Amino acid sequence: MVKSSRAIRNIGIIAHIDAGKTTTTERMLFYTHKNHRIGEVDDGTATMDWMTQEQNRGITIASAATTCYWNGTQINIIDTPGHVDFTAEVERSLRILDGAIGVFCAVGGVEPQSETVWRQANRYEVARIIYINKMDRAGADFAAVIEEIREKLGATPVPIAIPIGAESDYEGNIDLIEMRELHWNQEDRGEKTEYCDIRDEHRPMAEKWREELLNTLSSHSEEITDTYLEGKIVDPESINKTLRSATIANKLVPVLVGSSLKNRGVQPLLDAVVNYLPSPEELSPITAMHARKNNEVIIPRTSSGLLSTLVFKIQHDQEMGMLNYLRIYSGILKSGISVFNVNSGKRERVNRLLRMHANNHEQITELRAGDIGVAVGLKLARTGETLASEKNPILLETMQFPEPVISVAIEPKSVSDQDKLRSSLENLRREDPTFGVKEDKETGQLIISGMGELHLDILVTRISEEYKVDANVGKPQVTYRESITRAVEHSEKYQKTLAGKEQEASLRIKVEPSGRGEGNSFETALSGKELPEQFQNAVKRGVEASFLSGITMGYPCVDIRVTLVRAVFQEITASEIAFETAASLGFDAACKNASPILLEPIMEVDVMCPREQVGDVISNLSQRGGHVESMESRPTYELIRVKAPLQNMFGYSTALRSLTQGRGSFSMEFSHFAQKLER
């Protein structure tokens, strides 16, 4: 085993839905003796799927954290959802992880959501290993999955184990580093690994894959190159050393194989986590911003420095209140101390510290640099905020989440439940950054928004079952956006007497469309002499507030560039509120004359269906306004990639089941906003 400077690994399990993430995690917990039984997803007994909704639906909804130990190394594991509606759970997990296991189905290969989570991991430069699961399934093809990983993910996969047989003939693995066979006995649930020499009939295949392994590694190690060219045997220690450095540098991805459900191949996966994924101290120091000095600072990942920690997840517990999941980047966090929330500028007290095991916990006294844990007692913290020392108020990079695109109206069935409903919605909103709550000013209705029908369905069910609130829920509605199509300049003058004092502001602004997807922006063409900075900031506040209130229909504005062109400043009558109000009024008037348009969310839809039903499926998608982007043939299904308006995709799961006799499936995620066309 390769030794590292600190015996800790922070890893996540990421994959497409149904690739076997949770099943693999359950085996890891069993073989590390964290659990004394193996939980199964299909039975609703999986440890990491502890929520009632997860057990009932057989899917992971919320990321769950646990800690186990393997060969003296502490492994903090986060099991993430595979469904695109819960992409925020994956996003915030990857933000704080040092390494990840990408689980791929040996039959399905690189499925649509696999590509999404892989891109997210690329963005955060997370080191990865790959585990090809379900080798016992009909249609399993190890070599084909390796090729897909290379082509679709742009990665350099390096198999360090290959399967012996496939489908019902899958019996074990060949370890290409030690050059031996590995087998697992089902009578002891695969707990004991049996080793033997490679049999003659398997040796040519093993030597072929071994040669490919050494060829790939030789470009990353002169030592291996020299040894290989001299015709000598490359020792396992050199291979492991090179694999580790190249994996941490994100140049190579070691690949393992197995069948978690059949208890084969999981122990080598645990070895790979320890051998190839980084400990916290091996990673580069963190770049952060000093909140007061507004300059970049470098934070060493050590316990000896000042405290810096990120709140990456919030979960409401009926007994303990808000649980704040933390990643400690530097320093030591102790229970009972006060911490400084750099984002809000407020101090809060940490009453207790916990180490989580799904929905169970153990109380601890401190968390050190590199640790992941939970703080109890923080009432104001939000996801993505930094807790630090007041002496050193540094801001860590926050997280970006997609905006909700689907909404429903919700109201309590009785007036007495009104407060309970608002309280439950507030708790859910704090837990989930992609869940929105607002009140319709005209109707007084509460509108909740989410990432998809499944997302909202689960949230509504939680309101009913967890918070015991009976509510009426409307039909799903699309969340639109507004924008403009031409540039307009507008002059606005605001004059009013408040509390006996005349307040006045006069300005001219220009609004123009920016590129689709570029977002809103505000800039000023004035110097501090023409308009003092505090008044320019007041104009900016007025404009930014107007972005949220829409132009003609009240939907948020997107892709509008606003420029402050001119202002008249009278020192005696000028006030910040006057300039803020004038900016808001001027923005509304300018946009109404700038040919406003309504934008609708366009979704990227990946449909998997049997070959014989492809024509019917494409015809149905075309009727829904879908545009086919590509088609791919897979061993057991056809993958159709389509872009379609969300408005037309409501109820698609029922239609697809009908068209494919229940054999089709699909995933859908937000792609972009486009002008709504009359249909």
Side-chain angles (χ1 to χ4, degrees):
M1 186 182 74
V2 181
K3 296 290 183 183
S4 68
S5 55
R6 190 180 180 203
I8 188 171
R9 301 288 183 273
N10 294 314
I11 68 163
I13 316 287
I14 59 174
H16 186 90
I17 191 170
D18 285 338
K21 297 180 305 303
T22 302
T23 302
T24 301
T25 307
E26 291 297 321
R27 268 61 183 178
M28 293 172 76
L29 296 178
F30 177 72
Y31 297 134
T32 57
H33 305 295
K34 182 70 180 181
N35 284 352
H36 299 293
R37 64 173 180 80
I38 297 177
E40 301 292 2
V41 174
D42 291 344
D43 299 338
T45 58
T47 305
M48 303 299 272
D49 285 351
W50 58 269
M51 291 173 64
T52 305
Q53 286 293 297
E54 293 177 316
Q55 293 167 356
N56 291 344
R57 296 171 188 261
I59 60 171
T60 302
I61 294 168
S63 55
T66 191
T67 300
C68 59
Y69 295 85
W70 184 253
N71 292 338
T73 298
Q74 176 183 327
I75 304 175
N76 298 322
I77 303 174
I78 294 183
D79 178 30
T80 63
H83 198 285
V84 292
D85 278 18
F86 311 107
T87 187
E89 290 288 341
V90 183
E91 184 83 23
R92 58 184 172 190
S93 299
L94 286 170
R95 167 66 180 83
I96 54 90
L97 293 174
D98 304 324
I101 301 171
V103 180
F104 294 84
C105 174
V107 181
V110 179
E111 296 173 280
Q113 183 64 0
S114 306
E115 296 181 57
T116 301
V117 295
W118 197 267
R119 287 195 301 269
Q120 288 173 304
N122 284 343
R123 186 162 64 251
Y124 293 118
E125 299 181 342
V126 177
R128 277 148 282 176
I129 58 179
I130 284 173
Y131 175 62
I132 297 178
N133 189 25
K134 302 189 178 184
M135 272 307 301
D136 60 307
R137 289 267 306 276
D141 190 334
F142 177 77
V145 178
I146 294 292
E147 195 55 38
E148 279 195 27
I149 290 167
R150 190 176 284 113
E151 289 179 2
K152 295 183 178 179
L153 303 180
T156 305
V158 185
I160 59 174
I162 58 172
I164 302 173
E167 303 178 338
S168 59
D169 295 328
Y170 173 59
E171 58 176 277
N173 294 346
I174 293 176
D175 177 351
L176 297 175
I177 297 175
E178 300 283 353
M179 287 300 280
R180 59 187 178 181
E181 289 189 15
L182 281 64
H183 296 271
W184 293 272
N185 192 328
Q186 295 309 298
E187 291 181 5
D188 65 355
R189 293 176 289 184
E191 191 162 8
K192 184 181 178 184
T193 305
E194 299 171 358
Y195 305 97
C196 65
D197 292 336
I198 299 173
R199 287 167 282 175
D200 290 343
E201 62 265 33
H202 300 142
R203 186 160 289 279
M205 175 182 67
E207 288 177 349
K208 172 181 170 290
W209 283 96
R210 163 89 171 187
E211 189 173 347
E212 287 186 18
L213 167 66
L214 295 177
N215 279 337
T216 305
L217 293 182
S218 62
S219 62
H220 299 274
S221 167
E222 290 185 9
E223 180 187 347
I224 289 179
T225 303
D226 294 341
T227 305
Y228 186 57
L229 291 175
E230 290 169 10
K232 297 177 182 178
I233 295 175
V234 181
D235 62 275
E237 188 176 342
S238 297
I239 294 174
N240 282 328
K241 178 183 172 184
T242 304
L243 273 172
R244 180 176 186 81
S245 61
T247 302
I248 292 173
N250 270 307
K251 293 178 180 176
L252 299 177
V253 187
V255 180
L256 297 100
V257 64
S259 169
S260 298
L261 190 64
K262 296 296 176 68
N263 307 313
R264 295 172 185 157
V266 177
Q267 293 94 329
L269 181 61
L270 284 162
D271 289 335
V273 167
V274 174
N275 286 350
Y276 310 127
L277 293 180
S279 68
E281 293 176 356
E282 290 174 291
L283 297 172
S284 304
I286 306 131
T287 302
M289 290 293 295
H290 196 287
R292 295 196 189 107
K293 299 176 183 176
N294 201 31
N295 65 310
E296 279 193 357
V297 289
I298 303 299
I299 313 289
R301 297 172 183 258
T302 63
S303 299
S304 57
L306 291 170
L307 178 68
S308 64
T309 179
L310 187 77
V311 180
F312 71 92
K313 174 181 167 76
I314 294 175
Q315 180 180 307
H316 182 258
D317 183 271
Q318 299 287 4
E319 296 178 3
M320 293 183 286
M322 287 297 175
L323 306 180
N324 290 262
Y325 284 70
L326 310 172
R327 165 69 195 263
I328 313 296
Y329 283 97
S330 64
I332 301 173
L333 178 64
K334 296 186 177 183
S335 60
I337 70 165
S338 292
V339 291
F340 182 66
N341 186 319
V342 184
N343 297 78
S344 66
K346 301 287 178 66
R347 294 189 66 81
E348 288 199 81
R349 183 180 176 84
V350 177
N351 294 334
R352 287 195 291 161
L353 291 174
L354 309 173
R355 180 163 282 132
M356 299 303 292
H357 179 50
N359 60 328
N360 297 315
H361 64 268
E362 60 176 300
Q363 192 158 325
I364 54 178
T365 56
E366 66 178 29
L367 291 168
R368 305 175 70 84
D371 281 335
I372 292 174
V374 166
V376 180
L378 304 177
K379 294 180 174 62
L380 303 175
R382 296 287 186 270
T383 299
E385 293 187 338
T386 304
L387 306 178
S389 162
E390 202 163 355
K391 298 176 185 175
N392 188 39
I394 58 97
L395 270 171
L396 298 168
E397 180 190 357
T398 188
M399 292 173 270
Q400 303 298 320
F401 298 107
E403 291 186 53
V405 293
I406 184 171
S407 303
V408 295
I410 186 169
E411 59 183 24
K413 289 185 178 179
S414 64
V415 177
S416 59
D417 278 344
Q418 185 76 40
D419 291 339
K420 280 177 65 178
L421 176 61
R422 288 182 179 273
S423 175
S424 64
L425 292 176
E426 175 59 23
N427 288 337
L428 292 171
R429 190 184 64 79
R430 286 192 63 185
E431 283 187 14
D432 187 347
T434 60
F435 176 55
V437 182
K438 70 174 184 178
E439 187 172 336
D440 189 300
K441 293 178 181 177
E442 292 183 5
T443 65
Q445 277 185 314
L446 283 172
I447 308 294
I448 59 174
S449 306
M451 298 305 299
E453 289 181 272
L454 177 63
H455 186 204
L456 284 180
D457 183 33
I458 286 169
L459 289 167
V460 168
T461 305
R462 288 187 63 192
I463 291 167
S464 170
E465 293 183 357
E466 288 181 31
Y467 294 95
K468 310 299 180 189
V469 178
D470 288 328
N472 294 316
V473 180
K475 290 183 178 180
Q477 301 291 325
V478 171
T479 301
Y480 294 100
R481 297 290 185 270
E482 293 186 69
S483 193
I484 57 175
T485 56
R486 66 188 185 94
V488 167
E489 286 195 22
H490 176 81
S491 296
E492 186 72 33
K493 184 171 184 178
Y494 175 83
Q495 194 171 17
K496 196 166 187 177
T497 302
L498 295 172
K501 183 182 178 184
E502 187 178 354
Q503 304 204 26
E504 186 177 12
S506 181
L507 51 81
R508 186 173 181 82
I509 62 170
K510 179 182 180 181
V511 298
E512 56 189 322
S514 53
R516 193 65 65 229
E518 289 183 10
N520 299 319
S521 63
F522 172 83
E523 53 193 52
T524 176
L526 305 182
S527 67
K529 290 182 179 179
E530 293 172 287
L531 184 67
E533 188 175 345
Q534 68 265 36
F535 295 98
Q536 292 189 32
N537 289 335
V539 173
K540 183 180 181 181
R541 287 196 301 272
V543 169
E544 289 181 344
S546 297
F547 284 149
L548 300 174
S549 57
I551 302 169
T552 58
M553 301 183 70
Y555 294 111
C557 299
V558 294
D559 304 333
I560 299 177
R561 186 185 300 118
V562 181
T563 306
L564 177 59
V565 177
R566 191 169 64 247
V568 177
F569 176 66
Q570 302 287 347
E571 191 168 351
I572 298 173
T573 57
S575 72
E576 289 186 36
I577 189 66
F579 273 92
E580 189 172 332
T581 305
S584 181
L585 294 171
F587 174 85
D588 289 344
C591 286
K592 281 172 182 171
N593 291 320
S595 301
I597 55 170
L598 192 63
L599 303 176
E600 66 177 341
I602 303 298
M603 310 302 286
E604 188 168 292
V605 188
D606 294 309
V607 184
M608 290 143 278
C609 70
R611 190 168 288 109
E612 54 269 26
Q613 274 107 29
V614 166
D616 292 339
V617 170
I618 290 178
S619 175
N620 181 266
L621 287 166
S622 297
Q623 291 169 19
R624 294 170 179 267
H627 174 71
V628 177
E629 301 273 299
S630 66
M631 285 182 59
E632 296 176 23
S633 290
R634 300 292 177 90
T636 57
Y637 62 85
E638 295 291 307
L639 173 63
I640 308 166
R641 288 199 156 145
V642 179
K643 283 194 168 64
L646 175 60
Q647 177 70 55
N648 299 344
M649 294 304 293
F650 290 145
Y652 184 63
S653 57
T654 303
L656 183 63
R657 278 197 300 271
S658 175
L659 288 167
T660 62
Q661 288 84 52
R663 296 163 63 198
S665 63
F666 78 103
S667 65
M668 183 168 64
E669 64 179 315
F670 173 72
S671 172
H672 64 281
F673 282 99
Q675 183 171 354
K676 181 173 171 55
L677 303 174
E678 294 299 326
R679 298 184 181 93

